[in-house]
Amino acid sequence: DFHPQSICRDNIILLTVMCLSSARQLTVQMMQNPQILAALQERLDGLNGSPSGYMESLPKVVKRRVNALKNLQVKCAHIEAKFYEEVHELERKYAALYQPLFDKRSDIVKAAYEPTDEECEWKADEEEELTVSKQDEMKEKAKLEEEKKDEEKEDPKGIPEFWLTVFKNVDLLSDMLQEHDEPILKHLQDIKVKFSDPGQPMSFTLEFHFEPNDFFTNTVLTKTYKMRSEPDENDPFSFDGPEIMCCTGCTIDWTKGKNVTLKTIKKKQKHKGRGTVRTVTKTVPNDSFFNFFTPPEVPENGELDEDSEAVLAADFEIGHFIRERIVPRAVLYFTGEAIEDDDDDYDEEGEEADDEVKHLWPQ
Ligand SMILES: *[C@@H]1O[C@H](CO)[C@@H](O)[C@H](O)[C@H]1NC(C)=O
Ligand SMILES: *[C@@H]1O[C@H](CO)[C@@H](O)[C@H](O)[C@H]1NC(C)=O
């Protein structure tokens, strides 16, 4: 079946991320195996039309016309960029239609709104009830009444730990999660996606809305992803839709002593002359989900060290995933229903990626 969405963005960005990380692996393999290197070089030569190339063998007048075709191709890339701008506009338009539903979701989660009986009816519940035998039904009833009493005692508000549970259920996010992050994420009440305004450079912002808490004074933490949606002048044929170029976080106003992105360590220092030893305390970065809000900066020259590059590649994937999957279908990640589907998606993307490779290296 046809998923225009995934054609427009999903695959493209994920493929970009995948290429970033797999290119390095490939290089390593190639370096280690001269035969692979030679075979690849031959195929690439075939593609470039260099030494053994077909292009070289063409008469000058034909080569000239091929250049004209390439110029047409550049124009196509610019039209494609316009296409993606319109996709972005459509997304903005539809975001406004989804928003009231997401707001209601948030109100139910944070107990600002109690859904009616009618709103709480769900078909699957009835089916389940029908399948239990009479005896089980009695037990179930007793159990439910007990649970009801428990609930009245604890009186849970809304849906406790909704977003924290979502985070724990998604590998991509739970990998970043540290134990000391969990008490903080219990206060997360909503994640919103905001698109850039028309006429502005293309970007989207993830807003993490928190209830008042002991950890920091911010009520909203933000992460903005800037996209490039036009062909690169120097390499127009590589254009394949919008790409995340860089991202910016925000300053978290941690309450004193609550900064989980820092830890203090004690270090022994030896005095050079006297040989005496003293203990000094140093603060060093600590693993935390909240490092998500201080991503590595891309320097002016655009060159990053390997670590930062890897952090950013993972970061872009996470940002994209939150926007594209988590925010639109949060409840299904809370219940776990969306998780199997995602595995399927990844398989599909893997297969597509393989196809892509085959196309790049013609037989
Ligand atoms: C730093 O990380 C460790 C282990 O992940 C954790 O136990 C500790 O609480 C963190 N430090 C602070 C100050 O949050
Ligand atoms: C929290 O820790 C980070 C380093 O991880 C540091 O850059 C920041 O200034 C600290 N914030 C506060 C309020 O202490």
Side-chain angles (χ1 to χ4, degrees):
D1 46 355
F2 181 70
H3 297 291
Q5 227 179 251
S6 57
I7 289 179
C8 297
R9 280 189 318 261
D10 248 26
N11 294 349
I12 292 154
I13 295 173
L14 282 180
L15 275 176
T16 310
V17 170
M18 272 157 44
C19 288
L20 270 178
S21 55
S22 63
R24 185 163 294 131
Q25 281 169 4
L26 253 186
T27 320
V28 171
Q29 279 169 11
M30 277 153 55
M31 296 298 205
Q32 285 164 350
N33 188 334
Q35 270 171 326
I36 290 183
L37 184 60
L40 268 177
Q41 193 56 51
E42 207 173 304
R43 289 186 176 184
L44 288 174
D45 287 349
L47 266 184
N48 290 341
S50 5
S52 64
Y54 173 66
M55 275 300 291
E56 294 296 313
S57 70
L58 291 176
K60 228 178 178 165
V61 285
V62 177
K63 268 196 258 177
R64 199 173 147 269
R65 289 171 201 136
V66 171
N67 285 341
L69 297 193
K70 283 177 146 184
N71 283 325
L72 291 177
Q73 201 60 48
V74 173
K75 289 196 171 120
C76 287
H78 284 279
I79 290 178
E80 205 184 341
K82 291 266 174 269
F83 165 78
Y84 286 111
E85 269 169 40
E86 285 208 33
V87 170
H88 188 73
E89 275 311 300
L90 257 185
E91 277 176 330
R92 281 168 32 79
K93 183 178 149 197
Y94 275 81
L97 302 181
Y98 291 121
Q99 200 50 54
L101 302 178
F102 293 160
D103 288 345
K104 192 155 190 181
R105 173 176 76 188
S106 169
D107 284 345
I108 293 171
V109 165
K110 67 184 185 199
Y113 173 74
E114 186 60 42
T116 64
D117 285 348
E118 197 190 335
E119 285 171 319
C120 292
E121 234 169 71
W122 181 253
K123 258 194 246 113
D125 287 346
E126 287 163 25
E127 277 163 27
E128 266 167 40
E129 272 167 32
L130 285 179
T131 58
V132 288
S133 72
K134 198 107 196 182
Q135 207 186 0
D136 285 344
E137 214 172 283
M138 300 284 285
K139 272 195 218 153
E140 199 73 7
K141 219 171 174 181
K143 205 176 122 204
L144 276 178
E145 256 156 43
E146 222 167 295
E147 275 174 14
K148 212 173 160 194
K149 270 188 226 149
D150 282 352
E151 274 180 24
E152 276 162 10
K153 253 186 268 160
E154 290 170 23
D155 189 21
K157 295 262 186 294
I159 305 180
E161 302 183 17
F162 179 80
W163 289 101
L164 173 59
T165 307
V166 169
F167 270 55
K168 284 181 175 173
N169 281 345
V170 178
D171 287 347
L172 208 56
L173 299 174
S174 66
D175 285 351
M176 291 200 294
L177 211 56
Q178 306 296 318
E179 230 178 287
H180 50 269
D181 294 330
E182 294 189 13
I184 312 177
L185 284 170
K186 284 182 187 170
H187 299 285
L188 179 56
Q189 290 188 318
D190 200 10
I191 305 178
K192 289 183 172 148
V193 181
K194 294 277 161 75
F195 293 94
S196 50
D197 288 330
Q200 295 299 306
M202 200 185 281
S203 72
F204 67 93
T205 297
L206 304 176
E207 291 181 352
F208 296 74
H209 291 253
F210 286 83
E211 65 183 338
N213 63 74
D214 294 341
F215 299 94
F216 44 71
T217 55
N218 317 56
T219 52
V220 186
L221 302 181
T222 60
K223 182 81 176 268
T224 300
Y225 290 90
K226 295 206 169 68
M227 328 255 294
R228 186 183 66 191
S229 63
E230 55 201 39
D232 183 345
E233 283 307 319
N234 299 319
D235 188 13
F237 302 136
S238 70
F239 181 69
D240 212 0
E243 250 186 308
I244 295 175
M245 298 310 290
C246 63
C247 57
T248 48
C250 67
T251 305
I252 305 178
D253 301 316
W254 294 101
T255 316
K256 202 163 183 286
K258 299 283 190 183
N259 192 346
V260 293
T261 67
L262 272 185
K263 65 180 167 193
T264 44
I265 53 165
K266 287 199 164 74
K267 249 189 142 174
K268 284 199 162 73
Q269 261 185 354
K270 201 171 172 183
H271 191 279
K272 277 207 189 93
R274 274 169 277 158
T276 50
V277 176
R278 61 169 187 172
T279 310
V280 291
T281 52
K282 257 181 78 177
T283 52
V284 293
N286 209 11
D287 284 344
S288 164
F289 162 73
F290 291 90
N291 289 320
F292 185 64
F293 298 98
T294 46
E297 270 172 46
V298 180
E300 287 283 309
N301 63 12
E303 277 180 30
L304 278 170
D305 60 77
E306 268 186 43
D307 282 348
S308 304
E309 207 176 286
V311 169
L312 274 186
D315 187 309
F316 293 176
E317 192 180 356
I318 289 162
H320 176 69
F321 194 80
I322 293 176
R323 162 193 159 173
E324 198 62 34
R325 302 290 164 114
I326 306 277
V327 171
R329 313 194 287 168
V331 65
L332 301 182
Y333 286 97
F334 177 78
T335 62
E337 285 160 273
I339 288 155
E340 244 174 33
D341 289 346
D342 276 350
D343 284 346
D344 290 348
D345 279 359
Y346 275 118
D347 281 351
E348 268 167 40
E349 268 158 19
E351 281 159 26
E352 277 165 31
D354 283 350
D355 285 342
E356 205 98 337
V357 170
K358 275 180 216 131
H359 293 154
L360 274 174
W361 296 331
Q363 305 304 303

